[in-house]
Amino acid sequence: MGITKRGPCEKSGENEEREKEGAGAAGRFAGVPEAEKGSDVDSDSDLETEGTHGLGELVKETLYLRSCRVHSVVPASCFLRQGSDPELNLRHRGLGPQGAQALASSLNSNPYVKRLDLRDNGLCGAGTEALASALSKSSCICDVDLSENQLGAVGVQAICAALIANPTMQKVQLAGNGLEEQAAQYLAELLLAHTGLKSLDLSYNQLNDQAGETLGPALAENTGLIELNISWNHLRGPGAIAFARGLEANIFLRVLDISYNGFGDPGASAVGEALRTNNVLEELNVSNNRISAMGALSLSRGLRVNQTLRSLVVSRNPMQNKGCLGVLKSVQDNPVSALELLDFSEIQVNREFDDLAISVKAVLPGLCIKTAAHRVEYKKELLPVFRSSLPASAPK
């Protein structure tokens, strides 16, 4: 449904359809006794306490409706319809800071929600701080998506502090929040302190080389993270090198996406060194990172000895045929290579490369080699942690 926003961090203007939905939802609970006359000035904590003394589903809904009245927002009807569903999907609802505060007041009275999707709701710092308080106390929610909410440094500080206080959280998405160098310090603290966090998405932010220098040492010391997506940022120069050195020391990470940054040849060389030492990483995406033929040759040194990497994506780099040949020859020279996918998409290769690819596939028949001319299908099998412990994700 369409929602017109007055500003990036102002209260959203709900359209007639949403108001009717909210009014209808509120009408269904008209028989529930109203709060005392002074309830409009009750604090969120009072509302939360009121909902903890067991009337089950009805209490949850009543608490949310009262909280919406206090914060002068239209109730989200899908929250009232959620029932015992483990996933609460409120993406693109235009909740704004006020709507987030109303939701936060009733989250802790909901024992069912395991996956909370609040993508694209204009929460900003104030809304995120309110949610952070609820998330820090939740013993049920293990997967939260706060992408595209203009969190900024204030919001991410609150969220990271909440996550550190909540060991049940396993998957967090913070993509597209304009996170910059200042936010990196809070993210580094999260990586160092939270050993239960398995998946973190920081893509589509503005983390620069200084952020890379902050996050790299934290990644080296992290114990627990299995999947990290930091694509579409600005990791370059010394920051890219520092981040790659963190990968070299890490002994838990199995999936890493650093595509669409600016690692360049120095960063590619550092990644190659990391692959020589790292014996855990299984999937690596370094596409579109300004890696030339020389950088590809440096990267390929790690492939000569690496025994765990199953998938390597280097597409859309200016490495030309020479760089692709170097990567493929390194795989050929590694008798214990575990590679199942080599993706050179959008890079032009010649007959010499094709002939070498045939020879390599004779030794590694299970290896899929993608090029601009050969688009083969590769079915990725989910890692066990994402197969069993987390609820199914909503389509994106």
Side-chain angles (χ1 to χ4, degrees):
M1 62 185 69
I3 295 173
T4 303
K5 296 185 180 179
R6 298 177 183 174
C9 287
E10 298 179 71
K11 180 183 174 183
S12 301
E14 292 80 11
N15 60 18
E16 291 183 7
E17 180 184 352
R18 185 172 173 197
E19 288 182 359
K20 289 177 182 177
E21 280 189 7
R28 288 199 299 274
F29 300 98
V32 177
E34 293 291 330
E36 295 297 327
K37 187 174 181 180
S39 65
D40 283 356
V41 294
D42 287 346
S43 68
D44 287 350
S45 60
D46 292 336
L47 291 171
E48 183 179 82
T49 303
E50 186 177 352
T52 59
H53 298 292
L55 292 178
E57 197 74 18
L58 188 60
V59 169
K60 178 196 76 172
E61 292 155 348
T62 306
L63 184 61
Y64 176 59
L65 291 172
R66 289 178 179 175
S67 187
C68 286
R69 284 197 296 273
V70 168
H71 295 285
S72 303
V73 295
V74 177
S77 56
C78 57
F79 179 81
L80 299 171
R81 295 194 301 263
Q82 188 244 348
S84 59
D85 194 322
E87 178 172 2
L88 177 57
N89 188 335
L90 292 171
R91 61 169 55 191
H92 313 308
R93 293 279 171 169
L95 296 180
Q98 292 291 97
Q101 290 171 15
L103 177 65
S105 298
S106 51
L107 267 182
N108 285 338
S109 66
N110 189 327
Y112 306 112
V113 176
K114 298 185 183 301
R115 186 172 196 276
L116 178 62
D117 189 342
L118 294 174
R119 179 183 288 260
D120 184 27
N121 271 288
L123 303 182
C124 303
T128 309
E129 286 181 303
L131 279 169
S133 177
L135 290 175
S136 67
K137 303 169 188 174
S138 173
S139 59
C140 300
I141 299 174
C142 62
D143 180 347
V144 63
D145 188 348
L146 296 174
S147 302
E148 301 170 26
N149 273 298
Q150 304 146 30
L151 300 188
V154 173
V156 81
Q157 180 181 17
I159 285 297
C160 288
L163 297 177
I164 290 172
N166 186 349
T168 63
M169 195 67 64
Q170 295 184 40
K171 183 175 183 180
V172 178
Q173 293 171 262
L174 299 173
N177 274 302
L179 304 184
E180 299 178 335
E181 177 184 347
Q182 185 180 355
Q185 183 59 49
Y186 308 125
L187 294 168
E189 292 171 4
L190 175 64
L191 290 175
L192 289 170
H194 200 310
T195 59
L197 187 62
K198 304 301 181 186
S199 177
L200 179 61
D201 184 354
L202 299 174
S203 61
Y204 292 92
N205 281 295
Q206 298 170 29
L207 298 170
N208 58 15
D209 52 345
Q210 287 83 11
E213 293 182 23
T214 301
L215 292 172
L219 181 63
E221 297 295 326
N222 173 264
T223 55
L225 197 66
I226 292 176
E227 179 181 41
L228 175 61
N229 184 350
I230 198 166
S231 62
W232 290 91
N233 276 278
H234 308 304
L235 298 181
R236 300 168 185 162
I241 294 173
F243 189 86
R245 287 175 178 163
L247 172 63
E248 182 177 355
N250 184 279
I251 58 172
F252 283 86
L253 198 66
R254 294 167 68 180
V255 180
L256 176 63
D257 188 345
I258 52 176
S259 61
Y260 289 86
N261 277 279
F263 269 58
D265 291 347
S269 179
V271 171
E273 285 301 314
L275 291 178
R276 290 174 62 88
T277 306
N278 186 291
N279 60 358
V280 178
L281 192 68
E282 296 182 14
E283 300 177 22
L284 175 63
N285 188 339
V286 295
S287 62
N288 215 320
N289 261 292
R290 305 178 186 176
I291 301 173
S292 71
M294 182 177 297
L297 294 175
S298 299
L299 175 66
S300 65
R301 294 192 187 105
L303 298 177
R304 288 197 183 100
V305 296
N306 185 276
Q307 301 180 33
T308 60
L309 196 65
R310 296 190 297 117
S311 171
L312 175 63
V313 182
V314 294
S315 59
R316 296 183 178 181
N317 280 296
M319 59 178 59
Q320 304 176 334
N321 185 73
K322 180 180 178 181
C324 296
L325 274 173
V327 170
L328 198 53
K329 286 178 180 176
S330 293
V331 176
Q332 184 184 41
D333 293 341
N334 184 353
V336 291
S337 174
L339 272 171
E340 299 172 4
L341 172 67
L342 267 177
D343 191 343
F344 298 101
S345 299
E346 310 299 328
I347 305 174
Q348 294 297 321
V349 295
N350 60 21
R351 182 61 181 271
E352 182 183 5
F353 177 91
D354 291 337
D355 290 343
L356 178 61
I358 293 172
S359 300
V360 172
K361 284 181 67 65
V363 180
L364 297 171
L367 176 62
C368 293
I369 301 175
K370 288 187 179 182
T371 66
H374 300 284
R375 300 183 179 277
V376 296
E377 290 297 322
Y378 172 74
K379 292 184 179 180
K380 173 184 170 182
E381 183 180 357
L382 286 176
L383 294 176
V385 65
F386 305 123
R387 229 185 277 131
S388 57
S389 63
L390 297 177
S393 299
K396 295 190 178 179

